[in-house]
Amino acid sequence: MSAPALSLARTAIGSIWWSIVENGSLTAVSFVALIIFAKLLEPNDFGSYAVAVSVIEVAGIFTNMLFHDALVREPKASDAHFNAAFTVSLLVSIVVFVILLTIFPLLATLVGDSRIGDIGRVLGVALLIEAPTSILNARLRKEFGFRLLAIRTLIGRTAGAAIGILAALQGFGIWSLVIQSLSMTILGCATLVVLSAWRPRMTRELRPLADVLNYSVGAVTSLATNFATKRAFIFFAGVFLGVETVGFLNIAFRLVDTVWAISATAISQVMLPLMARLQDERERLLNSYKIVLGIGCSLIYPLFVGIGCEARELISVIFGNKWLPAAEPALWLSLLVFVQAPRLFMTSLLSAIGEIKGIRSANLIALAFMAVAIAVTRLADTNYALSVWSSCECLALAMLTMLVYRKCGLSPHEHLRIVIPPAIASCLMAVAISLTRHFLPDTQAGLNILLLSVVGFLAYAGLSLHAKDSLMLAVGLWRTHRYRPPTTDS
């Protein structure tokens, strides 16, 4: 293996590890806090908070991510680029904050819960802190500084969660969620600034942004439309179904998203800078993509199918019986892994080769479909809502699949050949779990989780005939690096 290839491989492996630590600590701390809050608060508290956060998160895309991916991808990004991006991000965050102060009372009236207006305006303060710090975040990701990011997340999340839980125990109710969120943001950003050797500064020289502006606009609008789809779903579920139903939906999303953050997001965060380095070597890029897609789906599919099949027992043990209405939505959302996992890897591939406009178009169409579906169905009940969400996810996958085919030459058949074996094995695993459940008592939820997990693992391991293919793909990646001719200086 050549020295550059060996160095890149070691960097990628180390970065994936620290990214897993970052996302794992973030998710673990958040999930433990969620369990405690679920015991202390009511579903309508979670619903009102989720509706307010859905708006904040969409606004945060335009402040926190405006230049993030563009700077990570830009090979010639210098201090001038980062300083200019820092200046613009700070100004944009101020403008967005003022807009939020104006519109949140109107949104609260639309949903019918006055708390949403006050909560949203307070949470908007976080954008003024996160936006400028996001530039430092981008620089660290570009330089594979995932160790420092992991430390930032661990300190900020742990301390913030502790403060929020203390507030809940003191009877602050829904405001304890707000206190937790702001504490995590402030402490996490402060840790990043203190520990980082480089800091951005204000500047009047904004011309360097011309190098990244085209990609930046495409990336942020693509990400915004993708985020807006889920957040619009949560917001209008609150309008048509009420904040209590949104509370159950929020718990279902959080149960699934917790595992997703650990297993998939960590891989995704490393894939963009890694694939960006291979963007000029198309054959190596596509080989790496197929390997990661095959191995990733083999690991992710059974994990989420298992969560969905055991959702009722998991929710009963973790959150309590008052949250059992969230079990059916959790099953729906878990099974969508068959759609979401391939999308994760397709998006990273297309971003690496600069096809951000195609991703943006796919996300816009999915968002438009979501808007029309909500207008037509008015989310009559939870099943209608979940059907709308599932249809939107499937449409987005279909569009990205065709985009990868047009831009990279990878046909839908090639994708199916990779993802079908683990999908079939996961479905048969679900059947085994369902059949086993009939012989288990309903009163022993904790024991049932253990027994069903063992049955699911054994069934999937025995049915995973695709393991040989995944091994061969891994060997192919090693051989690609092993026999790559070393570069020579002219």
Side-chain angles (χ1 to χ4, degrees):
M1 183 182 294
S2 64
L6 180 61
S7 177
L8 178 59
R10 288 176 175 172
T11 300
I13 292 172
S15 297
I16 289 176
W17 162 249
W18 282 111
S19 185
I20 290 174
V21 171
E22 178 191 6
N23 288 280
S25 61
L26 184 156
T27 305
V29 171
S30 297
F31 195 66
V32 170
L34 177 65
I35 295 172
I36 298 174
F37 283 127
K39 305 291 185 181
L40 300 174
L41 305 179
E42 297 301 319
N44 59 4
D45 293 326
F46 276 89
S48 298
Y49 179 77
V51 170
V53 168
S54 68
V55 179
I56 293 294
E57 288 182 333
V58 173
I61 295 300
F62 296 97
T63 59
N64 306 344
M65 300 299 293
L66 183 58
F67 298 108
H68 184 280
D69 286 358
L71 291 171
V72 172
R73 182 180 178 275
E74 175 56 45
K76 298 180 181 179
S78 63
D79 285 355
H81 292 87
F82 285 99
N83 289 330
F86 170 79
T87 302
V88 173
S89 295
L90 181 59
L91 295 176
V92 170
S93 68
I94 295 173
V95 173
V96 171
F97 177 68
V98 172
I99 294 174
L100 290 176
L101 292 179
T102 304
I103 67 171
F104 255 113
L106 303 176
L107 298 178
T109 301
L110 180 62
V111 178
D113 189 335
S114 59
R115 298 181 299 176
I116 292 174
D118 296 330
I119 292 171
R121 285 180 290 183
V122 174
L123 287 175
V125 174
L127 300 180
L128 300 175
I129 302 171
E130 289 180 312
T133 312
S134 67
I135 304 304
L136 182 55
N137 189 310
R139 187 182 181 97
L140 289 170
R141 292 196 187 281
K142 182 177 181 62
E143 298 173 351
F144 289 90
F146 290 93
R147 177 177 175 274
L148 180 53
L149 292 172
I151 295 173
R152 177 276 313 264
T153 298
L154 184 59
I155 293 176
R157 285 282 170 173
T158 303
I163 294 172
I165 291 170
L166 288 175
L169 292 173
Q170 293 298 317
F172 281 81
I174 191 173
W175 284 100
S176 60
L177 295 171
V178 179
I179 292 171
Q180 176 193 233
S181 179
L182 287 178
S183 299
M184 287 179 173
T185 297
I186 295 170
L187 295 173
C189 291
T191 302
L192 195 63
V193 171
V194 170
L195 296 181
S196 178
W198 180 89
R199 294 180 179 83
R201 60 181 178 81
M202 296 285 288
T203 180
R204 296 182 180 179
E205 182 54 60
L206 304 181
R207 284 181 296 180
L209 291 181
D211 297 332
V212 298
L213 190 59
N214 185 50
Y215 184 90
S216 178
V217 171
V220 75
T221 53
S222 173
L223 191 58
T225 51
N226 186 40
F227 260 66
T229 302
K230 181 175 182 178
R231 277 61 189 179
F233 174 76
I234 291 293
F235 180 83
F236 284 104
V239 173
F240 293 116
L241 300 176
V243 292
E244 184 176 53
T245 299
V246 172
F248 292 125
L249 287 173
N250 186 46
I251 286 292
F253 271 112
R254 291 291 297 274
L255 177 64
V256 176
D257 289 347
T258 294
V259 185
W260 182 261
I262 298 174
S263 61
T265 305
I267 298 174
S268 176
Q269 287 180 340
V270 177
M271 281 183 66
L272 178 58
L274 178 62
M275 289 191 170
R277 294 191 180 191
L278 300 175
Q279 60 185 293
D280 296 326
E281 303 176 64
R282 185 57 61 93
E283 183 177 354
R284 290 185 67 209
L285 176 64
L286 296 182
N287 285 338
S288 299
Y289 165 74
K290 288 188 285 187
I291 292 166
V292 174
L293 174 64
I295 297 176
C297 290
S298 298
L299 297 174
I300 295 173
Y301 280 178
L303 181 61
F304 283 89
V305 171
I307 290 173
C309 291
E310 301 177 33
R312 185 172 183 83
E313 290 84 2
L314 288 170
I315 289 174
S316 175
V317 170
I318 296 173
F319 301 114
N321 290 333
K322 71 178 180 181
W323 293 100
L324 283 178
E328 184 177 352
L331 173 60
W332 280 64
L333 297 174
S334 297
L335 295 180
L336 282 176
V337 70
F338 296 124
V339 175
Q340 293 171 329
R343 278 185 59 196
L344 172 74
F345 298 109
M346 290 178 185
T347 301
S348 294
L349 173 63
L350 292 168
S351 297
I353 63 175
E355 290 297 334
I356 199 68
K357 291 182 179 180
I359 300 175
R360 178 181 58 192
S361 298
N363 289 340
L364 282 171
I365 293 173
L367 180 59
F369 173 84
M370 171 75 74
V372 172
I374 290 175
V376 171
T377 64
R378 297 181 67 83
L379 304 182
D381 56 34
T382 303
N383 289 331
Y384 270 99
L386 292 171
S387 297
V388 168
W389 177 250
S390 301
S391 300
C392 186
E393 291 281 333
C394 292
L395 175 62
L397 174 64
M399 290 185 292
L400 286 181
T401 302
M402 296 311 299
L403 185 60
V404 170
Y405 178 49
R406 291 200 307 269
K407 301 299 181 180
C408 302
L410 294 178
S411 68
H413 177 266
E414 289 182 89
H415 281 97
L416 288 175
R417 184 181 64 82
I418 296 172
V419 304
I420 283 295
I424 292 175
S426 298
C427 291
L428 293 176
M429 180 194 78
V431 173
I433 292 176
S434 299
L435 292 175
T436 303
R437 176 180 279 109
H438 290 296
F439 299 98
L440 300 177
D442 294 333
T443 56
Q444 301 292 329
L447 179 60
N448 289 354
I449 291 174
L450 177 61
L451 294 175
L452 293 174
S453 297
V454 171
V455 169
F457 173 79
L458 294 176
Y460 184 77
L463 293 166
S464 296
L465 300 179
H466 62 282
K468 178 180 177 182
D469 295 333
S470 298
L471 178 61
M472 294 306 296
L473 284 171
V475 172
L477 176 63
W478 178 82
R479 293 182 64 185
T480 298
H481 287 295
R482 173 68 178 81
Y483 296 109
R484 183 188 175 208
T487 57
T488 57
D489 296 332
S490 55

